[in-house]
């Protein structure tokens, strides 16, 4: 009830003796922060069991882990293809046991698990067109370089005409790509974007004079000494 | 699923199946049942990879699928099953003790591949055994088959649920998006009648030859797999519940042996063996067994008289641990084993030992006291434990802050005034067990992380030593001189060797700790499951 002995005086709402503190005794400090991340332990842990069974199980565990890594069930993230084959990698051949790709029993799995078939049908046709488009692109750049070398000064206009022709041919093929790519998986879009970005602008590569030719031209006249 | 469990599952999946499967599996655990599209969208991985990861997880019984209305299939991950991966070495070792090397390899292959047909298992195990045998000897398929049958008879391996037979009618509806797998209880351990004749093949050790060699071998293997498999569609998996039952029996028997003597533990073992098949794994006590039956089933080596057996049984039944109880007097006395009580005692013993090792023997005394007496006041604790008030108070608060002991308020007046309320200390066994279980999961996660850290730190050194070993092996195969081998070995300097040694020691210690923490997890989990099933 109204048992407080005066306002402003610190007192607990319960009998302090009930939890074991004598009256007037110093109460333990209040903890103001979370417990430490690596607390000290007064008692050190008991050593591990060591016996034949334990050692055998340890060996089993480590072997099991190593064997799992070699099964076809282990899906590693694909490492980026290294351009140079490192010598050290040669001796670190990882033996993939069961070289055959594991094929699950499709009867036991839901039908949506099977890899889509329609991709393969569109694949060869699309790849062919893409291949030719790419080849055409490569060819066109090689052609450009050749033509810069051979028909250096004369036939600038000729060159640009041929450029635009090939470019239009390339663009036509690109339109085919568009149609095929409507139902493509996402991972093939990267290549497509690359292609598109490179040929998006209408600038004719050789027409843009960024000053490189200037240096090349001046080199030709290096026969004469400069003072 | 607690955070600790999810973290541990994620680490286990990553170690055994790779990053992609880890991402998918962890996502499924966190979000529960999800259809394929949702998984693809939320995890941001490509459709192909998600499909492959789900196939791997389903193959290993870690994820199951269910068809819902409107033809949507949802996938669900089983966190507890993923945590069983920690116990695989124990299962394999148990199979070895019971059925020797053949059994060990059968169980190992089943755990490695999730599910397999019997013929595939037999073939693989025979091949592996043949390699370890001396030259000229091979392992016969029939031996492996007979061990497989024995494993099936004792329920250590079981059949997976089967695909239903396709309907006969020609104008059948299109097949459902997902098969509904089902299995009949009686068929679960039925071994198909196969006529497996053959011997194990030794794999030719031509790994060092040029890469041209493996190609024709691979082509040969694909040709072999085209043969029709006689038991197609019947898959087997390891029955983990049976192994758990075995571990539980083992721990009860050893507890009795510690408390009493060898003979009584043998009697208890006999009783447990007799009730293996008749009692389900989650029953609170076994079926009653009469003393005459027990006498008849004792192992041949034990020739104790009937009277001595009766005396032992009476002793066991009167023991305060209450592992064995007397349920009637017919047939010379009907006795049961109290499984639930046994598990509870084992779990409490584990708790007590944990308190002792963490806080000291005085704290352990207080804990045991409160556990036995159920509810005690502050003053009573001091008196019964015979510990000075100040220390007792200190220890009680320490245990209270760790949530091993809790306070129960009993008000004297309806207004719950603190000065007129009893505060009693009590141990809530179930919640204390759960809390320690969660702590075990966290410790194993820490151990795995530390092990991965140690391995990553010394990755360069490990790769170098692997390379040197590979070079040594190839040189030995082509016959090199001693001096050359010596030179190659010296590529690894002495301090590097020391570093490798200490790394190996640390990794072994961490691995061994994981296995032993798992034993504690087993005891605590069995207790919590048994209590939940009773409630």
């Amino acid at each position: 009830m109204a048992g407080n002995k005066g306002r402003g005086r610190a007192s607990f709402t319960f009998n302090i003796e009930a939890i074991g503190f004598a009256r007037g005794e110093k109460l333990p400090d209040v903890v103001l922060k979370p417990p430490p991340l690596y607390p000290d332990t007064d008692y050190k842990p008991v050593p591990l069991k060591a016996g034949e069974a334990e050692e055998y199980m340890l060996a089993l565990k480590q072997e099991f882990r190593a064997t799992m890594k070699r099964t076809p069930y282990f899906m590693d993230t694909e490492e980026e293809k290294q351009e140079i084959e490192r010598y050290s990698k040669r001796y670190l051949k990882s033996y993939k046991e069961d070289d055959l790709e594991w094929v699950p029993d499709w009867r036991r799995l839901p039908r949506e698990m099977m890899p889509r078939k329609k991709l393969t049908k569109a694949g060869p046709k699309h790849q062919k067109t893409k291949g030719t488009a790419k080849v055409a692109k490569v060819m066109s750049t090689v052609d450009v370089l050749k033509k810069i070398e051979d028909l250096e000064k004369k036939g600038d206009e000729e060159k640009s005409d041929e450029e635009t022709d090939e470019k239009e041919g390339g663009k036509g093929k690109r339109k085919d790509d568009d149609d095929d790519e409507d139902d493509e998986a996402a991972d093939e879009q990267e290549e497509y974007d690359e292609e598109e970005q490179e040929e998006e602008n209408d600038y004719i590569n050789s027409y843009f004079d960024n000053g490189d030719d200037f240096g090349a031209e001046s080199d030709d006249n290096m026969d004469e000494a400069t003072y | 699923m607690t955070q600790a469990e999810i973290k541990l599952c994620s680490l286990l999946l990553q170690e055994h199946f790779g990053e992609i499967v880890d991402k998918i599996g962890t996502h499924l655990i966190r979000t529960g049942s999800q259809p394929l599209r949702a998984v693809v969208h939320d995890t941001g991985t490509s459709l192909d990879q998600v499909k492959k990861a789900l196939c791997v997880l389903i193959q290993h019984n870690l994820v199951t699928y269910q068809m819902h209305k409107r033809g949507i299939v949802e996938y669900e991950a089983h966190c507890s099953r993923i945590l069983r991966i920690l116990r695989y070495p124990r299962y394999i070792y148990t199979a070895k003790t019971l059925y020797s090397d053949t059994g060990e390899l059968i169980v190992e292959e089943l755990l490695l591949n999730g599910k397999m047909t019997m013929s595939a298992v037999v073939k693989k195990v025979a091949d592996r055994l043949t390699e370890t045998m001396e030259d000229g000897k091979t392992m016969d398929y029939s031996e492996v088959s007979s061990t497989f049958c024995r494993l099936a008879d004792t329920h250590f391996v079981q059949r997976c649920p089967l695909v239903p037979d396709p309907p006969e009618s020609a104008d059948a509806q299109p097949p459902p998006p997902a098969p509904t797998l089902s299995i009949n209880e009686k068929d679960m351990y039925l071994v198909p009648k196969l006529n497996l004749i053959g011997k194990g093949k030794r794999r030719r050790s031509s790994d060092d030859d040029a890469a041209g060699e493996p190609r024709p071998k691979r082509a040969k293997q694909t040709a072999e797999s085209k043969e029709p498999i006689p038991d197609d569609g019947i898959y087997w998996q390891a029955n983990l519940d049976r192994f758990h039952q075995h571990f539980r029996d083992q721990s009860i028997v050893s507890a009795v042996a510690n408390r009493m003597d060898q003979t009584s533990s043998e009697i208890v073992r006999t009783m447990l063996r007799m009730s293996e098949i008749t009692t389900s794994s989650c029953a609170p006590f076994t079926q009653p067994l009469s003393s005459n039956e027990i006498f008849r089933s004792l192992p041949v080596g034990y020739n104790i008289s009937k009277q001595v057996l009766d005396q032992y049984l009476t002793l066991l039944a009167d023991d305060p641990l209450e592992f064995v109880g007397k349920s009637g007097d017919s047939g010379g006395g009907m006795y049961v084993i109290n499984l639930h009580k046994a598990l509870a005692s084992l779990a409490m013993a584990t708790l007590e030992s944990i308190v002792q090792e963490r806080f000291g023997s005085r704290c352990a005394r207080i804990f045991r006291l409160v556990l036995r007496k159920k509810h005690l006041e502050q003053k009573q604790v001091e008196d019964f434990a015979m510990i000075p008030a100040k220390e007792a108070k200190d220890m009680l608060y320490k245990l209270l802050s760790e949530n091993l002991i809790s306070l129960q308020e009993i008000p004297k007046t309806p207004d719950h005034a603190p000065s007129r309320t009893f505060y009693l200390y009590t141990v809530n066994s179930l919640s204390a067990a759960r809390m320690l279980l969660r702590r075990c999961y966290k410790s194993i996660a820490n151990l795995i992380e530390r092990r991965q850290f140690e391995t990553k730190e010394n990755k360069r050194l490990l790769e170098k030593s692997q390379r040197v070993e590979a070079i040594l092996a190839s040189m030995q195969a082509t016959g090199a001189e001693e001096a050359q081998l010596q030179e190659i070995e010296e590529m690894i300097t002495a301090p590097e060797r020391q570093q490798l040694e200490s790394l190996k020691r640390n990794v072994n210690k961490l691995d061994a700790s994981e296995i032993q923490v798992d034993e504690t997890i087993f005891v605590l989990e069995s207790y919590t499951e048994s209590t939940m099933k009773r409630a």
Side-chain angles (χ1 to χ4, degrees):
Chain A
M1 289 300 287
N4 51 340
K5 293 197 172 62
R7 293 193 225 171
R9 186 159 149 218
S11 67
F12 293 104
T13 53
F14 53 91
N15 186 4
I16 198 76
E17 278 180 20
I19 43 172
F21 288 106
R23 276 194 79 92
E25 206 184 288
K26 185 171 174 305
L27 296 168
D29 291 328
V30 180
V31 177
L32 291 168
K33 50 190 179 169
L37 200 53
Y38 297 105
D40 287 327
T41 47
D42 299 320
Y43 300 90
K44 292 299 163 218
V46 177
L48 294 169
K49 279 196 280 190
E52 203 190 298
E54 277 76 33
E55 282 174 22
Y56 194 79
M57 282 203 272
L58 176 66
L60 275 174
K61 186 180 166 86
Q62 290 178 334
E63 271 173 33
F64 191 87
R65 224 181 12 239
T67 319
M68 271 313 281
K69 285 204 161 62
R70 294 204 299 261
T71 59
Y73 305 119
F74 191 89
M75 289 172 61
D76 221 349
T77 45
E78 287 163 19
E79 289 169 25
E80 294 118 31
K81 295 262 191 291
Q82 296 190 325
E83 285 135 22
I84 315 167
E85 169 129 352
R86 303 263 165 212
Y87 182 76
S88 58
K89 293 276 184 224
R90 204 163 90 168
Y91 285 100
L92 287 177
K93 275 194 290 198
S94 56
Y95 294 94
K96 274 257 176 196
E97 259 180 30
D98 304 338
D99 287 303
L100 340 160
E101 277 288 316
W102 161 68
V103 177
D105 188 355
W106 297 115
R107 297 169 294 183
R108 292 184 70 90
L109 295 169
R111 270 188 311 158
E112 58 187 6
M113 279 303 184
M114 296 192 66
R116 296 248 168 244
K117 288 261 173 73
K118 67 173 178 176
L119 199 64
T120 49
K121 252 197 279 177
K125 184 174 84 164
H126 166 79
Q127 273 170 7
K128 218 170 8 143
T129 49
K130 240 233 203 89
T132 44
K134 259 208 172 120
V135 166
K137 187 177 73 133
V138 167
M139 283 286 292
S140 69
T141 30
V142 167
D143 273 354
V144 163
L145 289 171
K146 260 200 209 150
K147 284 190 172 118
I148 287 174
E149 279 175 353
D150 296 345
L151 321 164
E152 206 171 356
K153 270 160 194 157
K154 74 162 180 173
D156 250 358
E157 286 168 22
E158 232 183 308
K159 219 190 333 171
S160 54
D161 279 348
E162 280 166 358
E163 277 306 330
T164 39
D165 279 348
E166 276 170 317
K167 205 137 271 162
E168 276 169 9
K171 273 205 194 135
K173 288 198 180 85
R174 204 154 46 83
K175 284 227 185 68
D176 288 350
D177 291 0
D178 273 332
D179 292 341
D180 281 348
E181 290 202 14
D182 277 342
D183 45 1
E184 278 290 349
D187 45 11
E188 294 203 32
Q189 268 186 358
E190 284 174 44
E191 290 170 49
Y192 174 69
D193 283 343
E194 238 174 55
E195 249 179 276
E196 190 182 43
Q197 273 157 21
E198 276 179 36
E199 297 191 342
E200 204 169 51
N201 46 11
D202 286 330
Y203 297 112
I204 301 163
N205 279 341
S206 64
Y207 198 75
F208 173 57
D209 189 14
N210 57 0
D212 282 343
D213 288 341
F214 178 75
E217 271 175 51
S218 68
D219 276 343
D220 283 347
N221 299 334
M222 280 303 275
D223 296 336
E224 297 165 18
T226 48
Y227 299 103
Chain B
M1 302 299 120
T2 61
Q3 279 298 103
E5 281 179 26
I6 298 178
K7 178 102 205 302
L8 181 55
C9 287
S10 163
L11 282 169
L12 285 171
L13 284 176
Q14 184 201 356
E15 275 209 323
H16 288 96
F17 296 103
E19 302 251 345
I20 302 172
V21 176
D22 166 30
K23 206 184 338 173
I24 311 283
T26 317
H27 174 78
L28 275 175
I29 298 174
R30 277 218 170 90
T31 54
S33 206
Q34 290 236 303
L36 182 62
R37 286 274 149 210
V39 177
V40 173
H41 180 260
D42 290 338
T43 54
T45 24
S46 73
L47 186 62
D48 288 327
Q49 290 191 324
V50 171
K51 281 186 190 172
K52 191 153 181 233
L54 280 173
C55 286
V56 169
L57 286 168
I58 294 177
Q59 170 76 9
H60 282 84
N61 309 314
L62 303 174
V63 160
T64 50
Y65 59 83
Q66 237 190 345
M67 197 162 67
H68 286 265
K69 49 184 188 285
R70 288 197 286 132
I72 300 183
V73 182
E74 289 200 341
Y75 302 91
E76 189 177 352
H78 300 286
C79 186
S80 51
R81 179 63 181 81
I82 300 178
L83 292 171
R84 295 295 149 260
I85 298 182
L86 282 167
R87 217 166 280 165
Y88 282 1
R90 206 169 165 195
Y91 298 141
I92 303 175
Y93 183 69
T94 308
K96 185 187 172 78
T97 50
L98 292 173
Y99 295 102
S100 86
D101 288 337
T102 323
E104 175 196 1
L105 287 181
I106 291 178
V107 172
E108 189 177 339
E109 282 297 324
L110 280 174
L111 288 172
L112 205 53
N113 289 294
K115 12 172 127 75
M116 286 173 92
T117 57
M118 179 171 167
S119 36
V121 175
V122 168
K123 186 159 167 306
K124 245 191 176 158
V125 171
D127 288 343
R128 276 179 77 171
L129 282 169
T130 312
E131 280 189 31
T132 58
M133 292 171 107
E134 305 147 6
D135 282 331
K137 282 201 183 176
T138 52
M139 187 68 169
D140 208 17
Y141 280 12
S142 57
E143 252 184 78
V144 182
S145 300
S146 69
T147 316
F148 193 94
C149 292
R150 279 164 63 203
L151 276 168
D153 285 335
T154 44
H155 297 204
F156 278 107
V157 298
Q158 69 187 34
R159 275 212 216 178
C160 302
L162 300 164
V163 182
D165 289 321
E168 293 287 336
S169 51
D171 58 338
Q173 303 147 4
T180 344
L181 304 173
S182 64
I183 184 146
N184 216 339
E185 190 63 43
K186 356 189 215 77
D187 291 337
M188 231 196 289
Y189 305 103
L190 206 58
V191 180
K193 297 225 177 345
L194 297 176
N195 210 358
L196 290 168
I197 303 174
K199 297 197 189 307
K201 293 191 190 36
R202 200 182 291 273
R203 188 175 56 174
R204 260 177 275 123
S205 52
S206 49
D207 296 320
D208 305 323
D209 292 356
E213 187 75 1
R215 294 284 167 63
K217 248 200 257 179
R218 222 188 295 164
K220 217 200 314 175
Q221 274 181 338
T222 44
E224 273 178 37
S225 65
K226 293 244 175 60
E227 293 166 9
I229 313 169
D231 62 343
D232 192 31
I234 304 180
Y235 291 92
W236 293 80
Q237 63 185 356
N239 183 5
L240 302 187
D241 281 331
R242 179 71 183 85
F243 278 105
H244 292 167
Q245 209 182 351
H246 185 260
F247 297 154
R248 185 197 66 197
D249 294 349
Q250 256 185 337
S251 38
I252 294 179
V253 167
S254 69
V256 173
N258 279 340
R259 191 170 171 85
M260 304 179 86
D261 69 340
Q262 183 70 12
T263 322
S264 32
S265 76
E266 278 305 317
I267 297 175
V268 172
R269 197 202 298 271
T270 315
M271 287 173 76
L272 282 166
R273 198 160 13 100
M274 286 162 66
S275 13
E276 249 168 27
I277 319 281
T278 54
T279 319
S280 70
S281 58
C282 40
F285 35 78
T286 61
Q287 297 293 324
L289 297 163
S290 74
S291 152
N292 297 331
E293 281 175 23
I294 300 174
F295 184 61
R296 274 200 297 270
S297 326
L298 275 176
V300 187
Y302 271 85
N303 41 4
I304 51 173
S305 69
K306 183 86 175 36
Q307 265 203 327
V308 174
L309 172 70
D310 282 335
Q311 281 178 347
Y312 265 113
L313 282 169
T314 328
L315 258 174
L316 279 167
D318 288 337
D319 190 81
L321 262 186
E322 290 188 28
F323 278 10
V324 178
K326 188 163 185 183
S327 70
D329 285 315
S330 57
M334 304 290 277
Y335 294 92
V336 289
I337 299 200
N338 291 320
L339 294 168
H340 174 72
K341 280 219 176 67
L343 285 172
S345 321
L346 288 169
M348 289 307 114
T350 313
L351 247 66
E352 287 166 21
S353 139
I354 290 176
V355 171
Q356 180 166 2
E357 292 303 328
R358 239 171 220 281
F359 302 107
S361 48
R362 287 183 155 194
C363 269
R365 192 148 96 225
I366 292 180
F367 185 80
R368 274 198 293 268
L369 184 66
V370 180
L371 193 58
R372 303 268 183 281
K373 300 266 186 192
K374 308 277 188 278
H375 294 276
L376 282 177
E377 261 189 348
Q378 166 84 37
K379 194 93 182 37
Q380 287 174 313
V381 168
E382 290 163 19
D383 291 338
F384 283 131
M386 295 182 284
I387 294 178
K390 222 186 195 136
E391 286 178 30
K393 182 178 60 182
D394 209 17
M395 289 174 191
L396 271 173
Y397 289 144
K398 214 187 307 183
L399 288 173
L400 194 60
S401 68
E402 297 281 336
N403 282 326
L404 287 162
I405 279 188
S406 46
L407 271 177
Q408 169 78 40
E409 296 175 7
I410 301 186
K412 287 190 234 180
T413 56
D415 63 350
H416 286 251
S419 54
R420 287 188 289 275
T421 317
F422 287 118
Y423 290 96
L424 298 176
Y425 290 99
T426 180
V427 174
N428 186 347
S429 338
L430 191 57
S431 78
R434 280 219 180 96
M435 192 218 29
L436 283 171
L437 197 55
R438 189 192 145 274
R439 224 158 160 177
C440 287
Y441 291 137
K442 188 139 186 13
S443 353
I444 298 197
N446 288 350
L447 287 167
I448 295 181
E449 290 233 21
R450 179 70 198 210
R451 176 163 49 80
Q452 286 180 343
F453 171 77
E454 294 272 325
T455 323
K456 201 159 67 161
E457 283 277 295
N458 297 301
K459 194 164 102 137
R460 194 198 67 87
L461 192 56
L462 274 171
E463 278 182 4
K464 180 176 174 185
S465 79
Q466 264 182 321
R467 227 184 329 136
V468 166
E469 273 172 30
I471 297 175
L472 265 177
S474 66
M475 288 189 70
Q476 266 176 350
T478 57
E481 298 165 5
E482 188 57 45
Q484 283 179 316
L485 292 175
Q486 192 77 320
E487 220 181 279
I488 301 280
E489 270 186 22
E490 277 170 20
M491 274 172 67
I492 301 187
T493 63
E496 280 181 345
R497 232 177 257 282
Q498 259 189 341
Q499 209 178 336
L500 274 172
E501 278 293 318
S502 81
L503 169 69
K504 189 160 173 201
R505 221 184 13 248
N506 288 342
V507 167
N508 282 354
K509 216 193 282 195
L510 291 165
D511 264 328
S513 317
E514 283 173 38
I515 297 179
Q516 291 184 21
V517 176
D518 181 61
E519 287 177 17
T520 313
I521 286 184
F522 173 69
V523 172
L524 292 172
E525 254 180 10
S526 316
Y527 170 60
T528 43
E529 271 177 27
S530 167
T531 318
M532 294 308 288
K533 289 216 169 76
R534 280 189 64 175

